[in-house]
């Protein structure tokens, strides 16, 4: 019975072995056991997202059928059924026990095999991002169902016997060759000049084995050096020991360089692949919406924080990489090597970095640069665009420096994208100086120190301390400054530049080793790096600098003698280390900053509700837009002013301006003539001269002032409860600037002169209504002038007797003198009412002598001045009386005053003046409404656009606690929202 059960089990096992004889793992173990010694081959475990490439475990299992067993009939009579059942039960236990034991053994073997694999999570970046996202876009269940049968799939698998031979060849590469030289040196060119197909198969395994080999060489070199140092002086002199150490050092260096080359090739391949993928994404091949990159989101937060006035005890503690160093220490060159482009202006020994430059580095398909406030892209692969970018940075730096200063705290924000660039935010600060030279502001040194301290005092800022290796370390200033700001060195990375010059000039190379090991300077740091940033030629390209740097370190004695380690050299390693440190700091601090701004937002919102419960939270830009709309509405209101209103204002204002000239220079001289002919001739000559020289210009001035007054009236008019006085200062500034820019059309004077001249030449009064209008205009004018003259005379002579008695006011000496002179002149006018307008010399003498007889000493100038006012009053009273006589003179006017003693030529003069004023007002009104108002509206719009672009103007025009509170609230909300979005994206990337 037991024999039959064994036959059954053997049949089952043989059947499965036949079907699965070609399983990859079984073949691999077969080759490993019989053909060559076992090699620890490290290969990455397939991730969950890549299971479609090894989905044999998903294939449907086939049930195995037991072989038919023919059992012989036992002739025993007693309990043959029980014996059969017991043996069958034993068979079941054997099968179950074998299954349990085999499963446990398989699990243990799998765990041991799994532990052989290294932790490759740090090399996750080698695999492109789209591979990890395949499970989101590909249905692996359907794919597994669509795969062929297991037997067919096994046939299609590669021959693992050939792979075993390849691994044996790999082992021969790693084994030592004759003469003590490693196989790396012999097969260096052959292995790297092989085809891309072979390179892709064994590159990762070779990299891992190189890592082990590197550790072994380091251990051997350390052990050999220790033996030599601890031995006797005679042993140190042995040449064999020294040769052995040199040989080990050489092998270690070659292994490190080999390791570095493989890493660079992997990075280059990854860079090309990511560039291709990004370009495909740009073309829409994957048909997915591109999101803003993580570093761009973070950079936007930093830009907003740079503009935010840090009130309410909320400070900017978000990480960024601060690049500090002595002047001409190579800060800018290091930053350019990290950015992979010569983007900064350069000078020999001259201060070029005059303001902080924030550079946001990110990965992209094309190598381009762009300013935060500009849409222009600079192609960094073209020399012309590079030169234009350098010029633009220099122009922006010089613009930021104001008021005779040398440096400025104003930050210039720049973003650089390109394939393979490490993501981070760097701030290049002006170089620290020890002495202020000629041409610099006296406070330049203190300003640079204050700017550097302001950035470095951020507890989460990473300080990239740049030290010039070609000068004496004792001359360094920046190391003391950095040690003050970060005494524990928890966020400082030290970089020694110009190591090539240092190796040539320094007498003791161990001094460089002391610097890199942190034993020479009192400052502490997270890491120490040595780099070479070129030969000092500004025309060198980044690629040539990289080649020179690699060539230098490959032949440098600093590496051969073990003074420097491979991971401490080259700007590539520096870039990787800085980026890694930056993102660790970001992940550790960003959530705390988000919570701080969340609390600040709550405080600001509470303060707004308590102080302005009925007002909307409008920031400065929103308030400006609201004020802009109100101003434009008020300008439009100018077009709605009625023509009658325009003409009334223009006519009234123009007559106020020219009435004095008409009375004093035209009417009064013409009234001194003896007959009407001479009167009309004098009037025509005076009017012609006035029209040619003064009148058109006066009319244009009146029109322009009238437009200003109406515009000001609409701008300053309060609109009840809706009026917001916060806009008053802005409206006044817009009004003044618009009026300043507005210029009246110069051709208006020429056309207006012709119109006015024609209007004044017309003497015809067509009806009685026009005659009465002229009489009324003349009477109002004369009464107004008489009232003004009476007021002037009253001020000259002082109060009359009634005011003196009732108000107890007395006259002074001058007023008494003028009063006596006025009385004497009035007596003269009573004797001769037709006296001319001017006093003769003998008349002045007579008046003076008469006054002297009464004891009043008077000057002739005072007599003439008093006569002018007395005669004006006399003339105006006479003219008013004549005006009353001419009310009924229209009949005589129609007959040209023939056979009449009444002459009303002065009425005709005032008619001509009145008609000219009406025509001029109408002409100016048409010009205002048709062109000038529209031009003024255009000027207002231009001024508003200029003010909108000038942030300083808006800050000066819109001020107050309400504006500042709304501005802070907006900024804090924006910062908090962007920080939360960044944190969410950061968690997704994890």
């Amino acid at each position: 019975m037991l024999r039959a059960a064994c036959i059954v089990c053997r049949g089952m096992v043989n059947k499965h072995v036949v079907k699965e004889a070609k399983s990859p793992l079984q073949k691999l173990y077969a080759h490993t056991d019989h053909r060559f010694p076992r090699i620890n081959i490290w290969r990455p475990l397939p991730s969950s997202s890549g299971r479609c490439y090894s989905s044999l475990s998903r294939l449907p299992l086939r049930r195995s059928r037991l072989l038919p067993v023919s059992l012989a009939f036992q002739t025993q009579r007693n309990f043959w059924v029980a014996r059969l059942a017991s043996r069958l039960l034993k068979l079941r236990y054997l099968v179950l026990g074998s299954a349990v034991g085999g499963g446990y053994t398989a699990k243990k073997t799998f765990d041991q095999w799994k532990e052989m694999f290294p932790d490759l999570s740090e090399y996750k970046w080698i695999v492109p991002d789209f591979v990890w996202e395949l499970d989101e876009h590909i249905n692996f269940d359907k794919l597994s169902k669509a795969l062929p049968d297991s037997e067919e799939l096994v046939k299609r698998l590669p021959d693992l016997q050939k792979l075993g031979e390849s691994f044996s060849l790999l082992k021969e590469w790693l084994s030592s060759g004759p003469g003590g030289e490693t196989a790396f040196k012999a097969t260096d060119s052959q292995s790297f000049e092989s085809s891309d197909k072979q390179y892709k198969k064994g590159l990762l395994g070779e990299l891992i084995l190189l890592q082990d080999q590197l550790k072994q060489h380091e251990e051997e070199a350390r052990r050999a050096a220790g033996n030599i140092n601890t031995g006797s002086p005679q042993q140190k002199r042995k040449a064999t020991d020294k040769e052995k150490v040199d040989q080990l050092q050489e092998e270690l260096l070659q292994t490190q360089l080999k390791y570095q080359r493989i890493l660079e090739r992997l990075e280059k391949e990854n860079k090309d692949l990511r560039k291709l993928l990004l370009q495909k994404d740009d073309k829409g091949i994957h048909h997915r919406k591109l999101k803003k990159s993580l570093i761009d989101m973070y950079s936007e937060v930093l830009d907003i924080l740079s503009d935010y006035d840090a009130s309410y005890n909320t400070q900017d503690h978000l990480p960024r990489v601060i690049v500090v160093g002595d002047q001409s220490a190579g800060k800018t060159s290091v930053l350019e090597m990290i950015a992979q482009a010569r983007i900064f202006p350069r000078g020999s020994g001259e201060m070029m970095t005059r303001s902080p430059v924030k550079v946001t580095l990110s990965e992209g398909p094309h190598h381009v640069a762009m300013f935060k406030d500009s849409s222009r892209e600079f192609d960094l692969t073209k020399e012309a665009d590079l030169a234009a970018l350098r010029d633009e940075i220099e122009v922006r730096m010089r613009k930021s420096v104001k008021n005779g200063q040398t440096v400025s705290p104003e930050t210039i924000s720049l973003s650089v994208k390109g394939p393979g660039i490490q993501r981070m935010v760097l701030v290049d600060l002006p170089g620290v100086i020890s002495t202020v030279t000629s041409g610099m502001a006296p406070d330049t040194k203190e300003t640079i120190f204050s700017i550097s301290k302001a950035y470095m005092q951020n507890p989460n800022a990473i300080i990239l301390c740049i030290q010039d290796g070609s000068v004496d370390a004792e001359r360094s200033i920046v190391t003391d400054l950095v040690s003050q700001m970060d005494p524990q060195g928890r966020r400082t990375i030290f970089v020694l530049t110009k190591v090539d010059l240092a190796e040539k000039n320094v007498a003791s190379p161990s001094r460089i080793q002391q610097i890199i090991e942190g034993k020479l300077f009192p400052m502490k740091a997270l890491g120490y790096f040595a780099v070479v940033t070129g030969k000092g030629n500004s025309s060198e390209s980044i690629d040539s600098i990289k080649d020179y740097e690699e060539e230098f370190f490959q032949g440098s004695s600093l590496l051969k003698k073990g003074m420097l380690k491979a991971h401490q050299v080259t700007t590539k390693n520096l870039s990787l280390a800085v980026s890694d440190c930056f993102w660790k700091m970001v992940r550790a601090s960003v959530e705390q900053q988000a919570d701080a701004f969340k609390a600040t937002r709550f405080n600001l919102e509470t303060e707004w509700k308590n102080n302005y419960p009925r007002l909307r939270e409008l920031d400065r830009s929103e308030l400006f837009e609201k004020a802009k709309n109100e101003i434009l509405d008020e300008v439009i209101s100018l077009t709605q002013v009625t023509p009658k209103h325009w003409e009334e204002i223009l006519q009234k204002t123009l007559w106020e301006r020219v009435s004095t000239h008409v009375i004093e220079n035209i009417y009064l001289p013409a009234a001194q003539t003896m007959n009407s002919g001479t009167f009309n001739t004098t009037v025509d000559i005076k009017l012609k001269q006035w029209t040619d020289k003064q009148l058109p210009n006066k009319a244009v001035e009146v029109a322009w002032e009238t437009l200003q007054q109406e515009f000001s009236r609409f701008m300053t008019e309060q609109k009840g409860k809706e009026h917001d006085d916060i806009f008053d200062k802005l409206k006044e500034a817009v009004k003044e600037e618009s009026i300043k820019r507005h210029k009246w059309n110069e051709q208006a004077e020429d056309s207006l002169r012709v119109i006015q001249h024609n209007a004044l030449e017309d003497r015809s009064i067509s009806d009685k209504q026009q005659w009465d209008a002229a009489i009324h205009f003349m009477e109002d004018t004369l009464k107004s002038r008489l009232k003004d003259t009476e007021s002037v005379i009253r001020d000259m002579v002082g109060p009359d007797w009634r005011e003196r008695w009732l108000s107890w006011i007395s006259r002074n000496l001058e007023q008494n003198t003028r009063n006596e002179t006025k009385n004497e002149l009035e007596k003269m006018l009573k004797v001769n009412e037709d006296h001319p307008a001017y006093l003769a010399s003998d008349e002045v003498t007579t008046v003076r002598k008469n006054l002297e007889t009464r004891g009043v000493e008077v000057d002739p100038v005072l007599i003439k001045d008093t006569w002018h006012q007395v005669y004006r009053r006399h003339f105006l009273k006479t003219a008013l009386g004549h005006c009353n006589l001419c009310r009924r003179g229209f009949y005589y006017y129609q007959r040209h005053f023939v056979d009449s003693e009444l002459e009303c030529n002065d009425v005709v003069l005032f008619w001509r003046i009145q008609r000219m004023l009406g025509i001029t007002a109408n002409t100016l009104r048409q010009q205002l409404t048709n062109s000038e108002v529209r031009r003024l509206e255009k000027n207002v719009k231009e001024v508003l656009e200029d003010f909108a672009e000038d942030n300083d103007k808006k800050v000066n025009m819109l001020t107050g606690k309400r504006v500042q509170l709304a501005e802070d609230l907006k900024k804090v909300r924006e910062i908090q929202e962007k920080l939360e979005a960044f944190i969410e994206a950061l968690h997704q990337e994890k």
Side-chain angles (χ1 to χ4, degrees), residues 684 687-688 754-764 912 915-916:
D684 290 342
L687 289 176
K688 181 69 168 58
V754 176
I755 293 172
Q756 290 172 341
H757 183 71
N758 294 333
L760 289 173
E761 282 186 347
D762 187 8
R763 303 179 186 176
S764 61
R912 294 165 70 181
R915 188 166 182 272
M916 182 273 299

Side-chain angles (χ1 to χ4, degrees), residues 69 148 157 196 217 220 295 377 437 451 455 483 508 516 545 560 610 627 666 691 704 769 785 801 831 924 958:
V69 181
L157 288 175
D196 292 337
H217 284 312
E220 291 176 3
I295 191 65
E377 278 192 351
T437 60
I451 293 173
Y455 277 93
S483 61
S508 175
I516 296 301
I545 295 175
K560 293 181 179 179
N610 294 333
I666 299 177
T691 306
W704 175 220
Q769 185 178 0
R785 303 302 296 182
W801 64 271
V831 174
L924 293 175
L958 296 172

Side-chain angles (χ1 to χ4, degrees), residues 803-815:
E803 291 177 350
R804 291 199 302 273
W805 279 96
L806 296 178
S807 303
W808 291 87
I809 301 175
S810 61
R811 293 172 178 168
N812 56 30
L813 182 60
E814 184 181 357
Q815 289 175 344

Side-chain angles (χ1 to χ4, degrees), residues 420-431:
I421 295 180
Q422 298 298 320
R423 303 177 302 169
M424 67 184 92
V425 177
L426 302 101
V427 182
D428 186 20
L429 299 181

Side-chain angles (χ1 to χ4, degrees), residues 298-454:
Y298 186 75
S299 179
E300 285 184 1
V301 176
L302 295 182
D303 289 337
I304 300 171
L305 282 172
S306 64
D307 299 333
Y308 172 61
D309 185 13
S311 303
Y312 305 97
N313 299 323
T314 302
Q315 298 179 357
D316 174 16
H317 287 168
L318 287 176
R320 65 264 278 168
V321 180
I322 309 302
V323 186
V324 295
D326 299 329
Q327 183 179 347
S328 302
K331 300 184 294 75
T332 303
S333 299
V334 171
L335 204 154
E336 286 179 338
M337 291 293 290
I338 296 175
Q340 301 180 14
R342 308 298 293 271
I343 58 178
F344 291 102
R346 310 183 66 82
S348 178
E350 180 184 357
M351 177 180 289
M352 299 305 297
T353 306
R354 297 179 177 269
S355 64
V357 181
K358 182 177 76 69
V359 183
T360 303
L361 301 179
S362 59
E363 194 172 21
H366 307 289
H367 203 185
V368 295
M370 181 186 298
F371 289 99
K372 179 187 74 173
D373 55 353
S374 175
S375 59
R376 179 184 176 184
E377 278 192 351
F378 296 88
D379 189 351
L380 302 184
T381 60
K382 298 179 180 179
E383 188 59 37
D385 281 18
L386 277 172
L389 177 61
R390 290 192 290 265
D391 294 341
E392 180 67 19
I393 292 176
E394 186 173 2
V395 168
R396 287 174 179 257
M397 285 184 180
R398 296 191 180 277
K399 283 184 178 179
S400 66
V401 177
K402 301 174 183 177
N403 302 325
Q405 298 296 315
T406 306
V407 293
S408 169
E410 184 178 340
T411 305
I412 300 173
S413 184
L414 177 71
S415 64
V416 177
K417 296 183 179 181
I421 295 180
Q422 298 298 320
R423 303 177 302 169
M424 67 184 92
V425 177
L426 302 101
V427 182
D428 186 20
L429 299 181
V432 179
I433 60 175
S434 59
T435 305
V436 177
T437 60
S438 60
M440 292 184 179
D443 61 342
T444 301
K445 180 179 177 180
E446 290 75 14
T447 304
I448 293 175
F449 268 86
S450 63
I451 293 173
S452 301
K453 288 181 179 179

Side-chain angles (χ1 to χ4, degrees), residues 164-411:
E165 295 175 358
S166 300
F167 285 127
S168 63
L169 180 61
L170 178 62
K171 183 180 178 182
E172 293 176 3
W173 285 351
L174 298 175
S175 61
S176 298
E181 295 184 353
T182 60
F184 284 117
K185 195 169 184 179
T187 60
D188 185 27
S189 59
Q190 296 178 4
S191 61
F192 283 100
E193 291 176 0
S194 61
S195 63
D196 292 337
K197 184 175 180 181
Q198 293 177 353
Y199 165 73
K200 292 179 182 178
K201 282 184 179 181
L203 185 56
L204 188 58
E206 184 180 353
L207 181 62
I208 296 169
L209 292 173
L210 270 174
Q211 190 175 11
D212 286 344
Q213 192 75 11
L214 184 62
K215 292 180 180 178
Q216 293 175 5
H217 284 312
E218 288 180 352
E219 185 65 28
E220 291 176 3
R222 193 179 299 109
R223 191 183 304 112
N227 293 333
I228 292 177
N229 293 331
T230 57
S232 62
Q234 295 179 356
Q235 292 176 346
K236 293 181 181 180
R237 296 191 189 98
K238 291 182 179 180
T240 57
D241 292 340
K242 291 182 180 180
E243 291 176 358
K244 184 176 181 180
V245 172
D246 293 340
Q247 180 182 349
L248 289 174
Q249 291 287 355
E250 184 68 24
E251 291 179 358
L252 176 61
L253 178 60
Q254 293 296 331
T255 306
Q256 289 175 340
L257 293 176
K258 185 85 169 181
Y259 181 74
Q260 187 72 19
R261 290 194 194 101
I262 296 176
L263 275 178
E264 290 177 357
R265 293 194 64 179
L266 280 172
E267 290 172 0
K268 183 178 180 181
E269 185 178 280
N270 182 40
K271 174 181 174 181
D272 296 339
L273 181 59
R274 291 187 66 84
K275 180 178 180 181
L276 181 61
L277 290 174
L278 289 170
Q279 289 176 344
K280 289 182 178 179
D281 284 341
D282 287 343
K283 296 177 182 178
I285 293 179
H286 294 291
H287 301 286
R288 66 182 182 186
K289 185 178 180 180
L290 292 177
K291 297 181 179 179
K292 192 174 293 185
S293 66
L294 196 63
I295 191 65
D296 289 337
M297 295 171 66
Y298 186 75
S299 179
E300 285 184 1
V301 176
L302 295 182
D303 289 337
I304 300 171
L305 282 172
S306 64
D307 299 333
Y308 172 61
D309 185 13
S311 303
Y312 305 97
N313 299 323
T314 302
Q315 298 179 357
D316 174 16
H317 287 168
L318 287 176
R320 65 264 278 168
V321 180
I322 309 302
V323 186
V324 295
D326 299 329
Q327 183 179 347
S328 302
K331 300 184 294 75
T332 303
S333 299
V334 171
L335 204 154
E336 286 179 338
M337 291 293 290
I338 296 175
Q340 301 180 14
R342 308 298 293 271
I343 58 178
F344 291 102
R346 310 183 66 82
S348 178
E350 180 184 357
M351 177 180 289
M352 299 305 297
T353 306
R354 297 179 177 269
S355 64
V357 181
K358 182 177 76 69
V359 183
T360 303
L361 301 179
S362 59
E363 194 172 21
H366 307 289
H367 203 185
V368 295
M370 181 186 298
F371 289 99
K372 179 187 74 173
D373 55 353
S374 175
S375 59
R376 179 184 176 184
E377 278 192 351
F378 296 88
D379 189 351
L380 302 184
T381 60
K382 298 179 180 179
E383 188 59 37
D385 281 18
L386 277 172
L389 177 61
R390 290 192 290 265
D391 294 341
E392 180 67 19
I393 292 176
E394 186 173 2
V395 168
R396 287 174 179 257
M397 285 184 180
R398 296 191 180 277
K399 283 184 178 179
S400 66
V401 177
K402 301 174 183 177
N403 302 325
Q405 298 296 315
T406 306
V407 293
S408 169
E410 184 178 340
T411 305

Side-chain angles (χ1 to χ4, degrees), residues 694-706:
Q694 301 179 9
L695 183 57
N697 188 23
K698 283 287 184 182
V700 170
E701 289 180 1
V702 167
W704 175 220
E705 292 178 3
T706 303

